[in-house]
Each structure stands twice: as structure tokens, then as C-alpha cells.
Amino acid sequence: RRIMAVRAAAMAVARAMGRRMRGGGRGGGICSVFQVRMFAKSFNPNRVDWDVTSEESDEGKFEGLWAEDIDLQKGRIDRYSPEPQIDEDGYARARGKRKAAMAHVALRKGNGEMEVNGMLHTEYFFDYKHRHAMVVPFEVTGTLGEFDIVATVQGGGHTGQSEAIRQAVAKALQKYEPKYRRVLKPLKLLSTDVRRVEPKKWGRTKARKAWQWVKR
């Protein structure tokens, strides 16, 4: 009965909000009738454990281990592990992406040797800005020259590949020493840049640029 009452209340709120916000329409604005109706239909009573020890308690609580990792303040699941993740060979492994490039990096303690696709990074990247992009995570954490990396990258050009390696190196550093996260995270070195090249449109010279317009 209580579940049916929750669904009936949700439907009543949906109908009232729909009439109030769009003059009797099916929905709109902050919350539509369709959205609340779908919520009412998708309500899963098995995920809510009602406290029936007291007749005055109507507050539900979530049950299950899946709810332990949820940060209610941020509204997301934080998959960050506070423990180092190092394999039996002493490597911390991670991958990074940028545009069409995908990089896999293995990082361990060393003297600063960096290898990209079987070549030294100075031979693989001839542009200084691409070489510098790889070592940015080491610079901000103060570990320049303390780690060796072996990177495998494919797809894209040198700009995308160097930035994909940068993200992979930052993630590998976090796995090797979790305390570096507080330095890398605010600089967005652990976040994937989802920007992509916008496709060209027909009738235009590029994605947005149009031909010069002449009236006569």
C-alpha cells in the first residue's frame, strides 16, 4: 500500500505541475509529467528498506553494499583507490586518450628514461612542446627524473599522442603514489578532454565558416 501511495502522489504532482507550467499540457519546464510518470513506473521497492520498528517512521533508507561508495555531497561514485596499484614487475600502468590517440603507459622508479613506441621520446617527438607535454605531471609533482616510463601510443597526430601520454602518465603517477592526486586533480591532468574536431557541413567552407556573401 505504501508503494502504491508513493506512485499515486508522484502522478498527482506530475499532473499538477503540468497544468500549472504549461496550461494543461503534457509537461515542460523543471519537471514534466512524462518524467515524473517514468519515475513512478521505474520506482523499485526492493531498493528501499522501510523502517517498520516505529509507526511514526516513514523515512526510507537504502540498503546494499553498492551505496557505501556513493558520495552524497558530490552525487557521484568516486572510484579512486587510496592504495598503490603496482604490479609484480614494479610498474604502475594506466591509459590516456586525446582526440583520436590512445596511449598505454607503464611507470616505475628510475632515472628519467622515457620511451615511446620503442624509441626515445626525443627521437619520436621532434617538437619541444610535444616533449614538454609528456613531463608536465612530473613537473607539477616535483618528480622530474625520478621515474622511467614505457609508452605505447597509436592513432592521431603528435599533438594528440603527446597529450594522451600526459594523461596516462598522470594516472600512472596517481596509482604509484596516491598522494599525488591532490596535485594532479585540480589541474585536470586526470580528466579526459572530450573535445573533438567538428565535422565540416555541406554548403560551408568548414564546420562553421561560410562563404563570403555578396548581395549582387
Side-chain angles (χ1 to χ4, degrees), residues 61-81:
K61 60 181 180 180
F62 290 101
E63 63 177 337
L65 298 177
W66 64 272
E68 294 181 356
D69 296 332
I70 295 181
D71 188 350
L72 297 179
Q73 300 296 329
K74 298 181 180 179
R76 64 180 179 83
I77 298 178
D78 195 351
R79 295 179 176 84
Y80 157 68
S81 175

Side-chain angles (χ1 to χ4, degrees), residues 117-130:
N117 289 348
M119 303 169 59
L120 291 177
H121 77 290
T122 55
E123 298 176 359
Y124 189 84
F125 294 119
F126 52 84
D127 197 330
Y128 285 103
K129 68 178 182 180
H130 298 148

Side-chain angles (χ1 to χ4, degrees), residues 37-86:
R37 186 175 297 167
M38 293 302 296
F39 164 75
K41 290 183 179 180
S42 63
F43 183 77
N44 187 1
N46 297 325
R47 285 293 181 92
V48 179
D49 180 21
W50 296 98
D51 184 6
V52 294
T53 57
S54 173
E55 295 181 355
E56 299 178 356
S57 177
D58 290 330
E59 184 177 355
K61 60 181 180 180
F62 290 101
E63 63 177 337
L65 298 177
W66 64 272
E68 294 181 356
D69 296 332
I70 295 181
D71 188 350
L72 297 179
Q73 300 296 329
K74 298 181 180 179
R76 64 180 179 83
I77 298 178
D78 195 351
R79 295 179 176 84
Y80 157 68
S81 175
E83 300 296 331
Q85 301 178 37
I86 305 174

Side-chain angles (χ1 to χ4, degrees), residues 92-94 105 107 135-141 143 147 149 166-181 184 190:
R93 303 179 186 273
V105 165
L107 176 145
V135 300
V136 168
F138 296 126
E139 290 182 349
V140 298
T141 56
T143 56
F147 290 94
I149 64 171
R166 179 181 64 187
Q167 184 191 20
V169 169
K171 289 183 176 181
L173 270 175
Q174 175 191 262
K175 288 185 176 181
Y176 196 94
E177 188 58 63
K179 69 178 182 180
Y180 293 143
R181 178 181 174 87
L184 299 169
L190 301 173

Side-chain angles (χ1 to χ4, degrees), residues 197-201 206-208:
V197 177
E198 187 174 349
K200 179 186 179 301
K201 310 299 188 301
K206 295 196 296 183
R208 300 292 181 93

